[in-house]
């Protein structure tokens, strides 16, 4: 019987909200057994870019990353956000280790080629699509009692850092570790779950399947940044991840939110 592992992905909006973040870190620390935290930080990166006079461009919920923006996200994700989370987890008694995909070669990716979006070719710049996750290295760290805290940065094995969607990072990490552990993947953010009405915080969709997702995409119920989140969640389920939940950052016990099947 596989040992349980909980992977929590926390989004940038929660990282920005001190009340939600404090509760999330407290709840994450209370999770029994092995665990991993994957974080975003997009809002902090956007604010930092604005202070530096660098324009932020998003397409279908994903950040376009030119050379200047790559410097910003590397500083913010790999430094400011990651190390603050590590320090705060240490205060909760969690022996956390901050990592990017380049550290110990845990997550390698390739630069995303231009792709067609709404009939136009889009170059996302220095954005990485994940190729491999080292479940051997990660599981060895985890087995020593270390809790990895993973920033949304990967590398291409040619000396380049690549900005990588944090939901994708969490999903790919969960998929890789599902061969070693009984994995529960929790996407935590500022809402109670996936909403059928964005203006009604209680309109949580309890379950989403592949068929549901296609229908909700087509009628516009689900759009923007929620699209890659659910896409990644479904891929994790297909790859053998035991349970996937999208829920409020302060509800990590799995009793609330949207279950992805």
């Amino acid at each position: 019987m596989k040992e349980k592992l909980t992977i929590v992905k926390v989004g940038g909006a929660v990282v920005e909200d001190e009340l939600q973040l404090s509760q999330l870190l407290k709840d994450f620390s209370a999770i029994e057994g092995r665990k991993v935290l994957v974080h975003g930080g997009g809002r902090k990166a956007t604010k930092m870019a604005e202070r530096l006079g660098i324009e932020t461009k998003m397409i279908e919920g994903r950040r376009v990353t030119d050379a200047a923006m790559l410097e910003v996200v590397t500083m913010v994700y790999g430094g400011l956000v990651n190390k603050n989370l590590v320090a705060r987890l240490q205060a909760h008694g969690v022996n956390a280790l901050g990592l990017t995909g380049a550290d110990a070669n845990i997550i390698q990716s390739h630069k995303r080629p231009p792709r067609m979006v709404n009939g136009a070719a889009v170059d996302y710049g220095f954005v990485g699509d994940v190729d491999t996750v080292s479940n051997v290295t990660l599981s060895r760290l985890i087995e020593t009692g270390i809790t990895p805290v993973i920033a949304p940065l990967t590398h291409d094995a040619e000396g380049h850092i690549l900005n990588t969607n944090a939901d994708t990072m969490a999903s790919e990490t969960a998929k890789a570790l599902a061969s070693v552990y009984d994995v529960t993947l929790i996407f935590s953010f500022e809402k109670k779950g996936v909403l059928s009405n964005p203006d009604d915080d209680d309109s949580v969709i309890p379950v989403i399947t592949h068929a549901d997702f296609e229908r909700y995409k087509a009628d516009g119920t689900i759009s923007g940044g929620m699209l890659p989140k659910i896409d990644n969640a479904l891929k994790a389920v297909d790859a053998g991840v035991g349970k996937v939940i999208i829920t409020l950052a302060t509800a990590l016990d799995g009793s609330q939110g949207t279950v992805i099947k």
Side-chain angles (χ1 to χ4, degrees), residues 56-98:
T56 295
K57 185 177 182 182
M58 306 288 288
I59 297 176
E60 290 193 334
R62 297 186 186 269
R63 186 181 301 269
V64 176
T65 307
D66 60 13
M69 184 59 75
L70 181 63
E71 291 187 351
V72 172
V73 297
T74 301
M75 289 186 293
V76 172
Y77 299 163
L80 180 63
V81 175
N82 188 267
K83 300 314 173 189
N84 280 334
L85 290 175
V86 167
R88 294 180 67 169
L89 285 171
Q90 298 292 356
H92 283 285
V94 176
N95 190 15
L97 175 66

Side-chain angles (χ1 to χ4, degrees), residues 71-259:
E71 291 187 351
V72 172
V73 297
T74 301
M75 289 186 293
V76 172
Y77 299 163
L80 180 63
V81 175
N82 188 267
K83 300 314 173 189
N84 280 334
L85 290 175
V86 167
R88 294 180 67 169
L89 285 171
Q90 298 292 356
H92 283 285
V94 176
N95 190 15
L97 175 66
L99 299 166
T100 69
D103 294 298
N105 191 31
I106 60 167
I107 305 177
Q108 190 172 316
S109 64
H110 64 273
K111 187 173 180 288
R112 178 180 298 170
R115 60 174 61 173
M116 299 300 292
V117 177
N118 298 325
V122 174
D123 184 352
Y124 283 91
F126 295 98
V127 167
D129 289 329
V130 174
D131 292 320
T132 60
V133 177
S134 177
N135 60 2
V136 173
T137 300
L138 279 172
S139 62
R140 283 176 178 169
L141 286 172
I142 292 166
E143 289 307 309
T144 66
I146 287 172
T147 295
V149 178
I150 303 175
L153 300 165
T154 56
H155 78 117
D156 65 357
E158 296 179 359
H160 304 110
I161 288 285
L162 295 172
N163 183 19
T164 304
N165 180 269
D167 290 334
T168 302
M169 298 273 283
S171 174
E172 293 296 330
T173 300
K175 287 160 61 176
L177 290 172
S179 64
V180 183
Y181 300 98
D182 176 9
V183 177
T184 294
L185 173 59
I186 301 174
F187 291 96
S188 65
F189 71 141
E190 68 275 15
K191 300 294 184 181
K192 294 180 180 178
V194 183
L195 305 179
S196 60
N197 177 359
D199 297 322
D200 180 2
D201 284 349
D202 292 321
S203 63
V204 176
I205 303 170
V207 176
I208 294 178
T209 64
H210 278 283
D212 295 331
F213 184 44
E214 293 305 319
R215 185 174 72 255
Y216 290 137
K217 276 198 300 185
D219 66 18
T221 299
I222 296 173
S223 60
M226 188 56 69
L227 293 171
K229 190 184 298 293
I230 297 176
D231 183 55
N232 281 303
L234 287 166
K235 287 177 179 175
V237 172
D238 291 344
V241 174
K243 190 173 186 180
V244 182
I245 305 167
I246 300 175
T247 190
L248 192 67
T250 54
L252 298 187
D253 60 0
S255 63
Q256 303 177 44
T258 301
V259 176

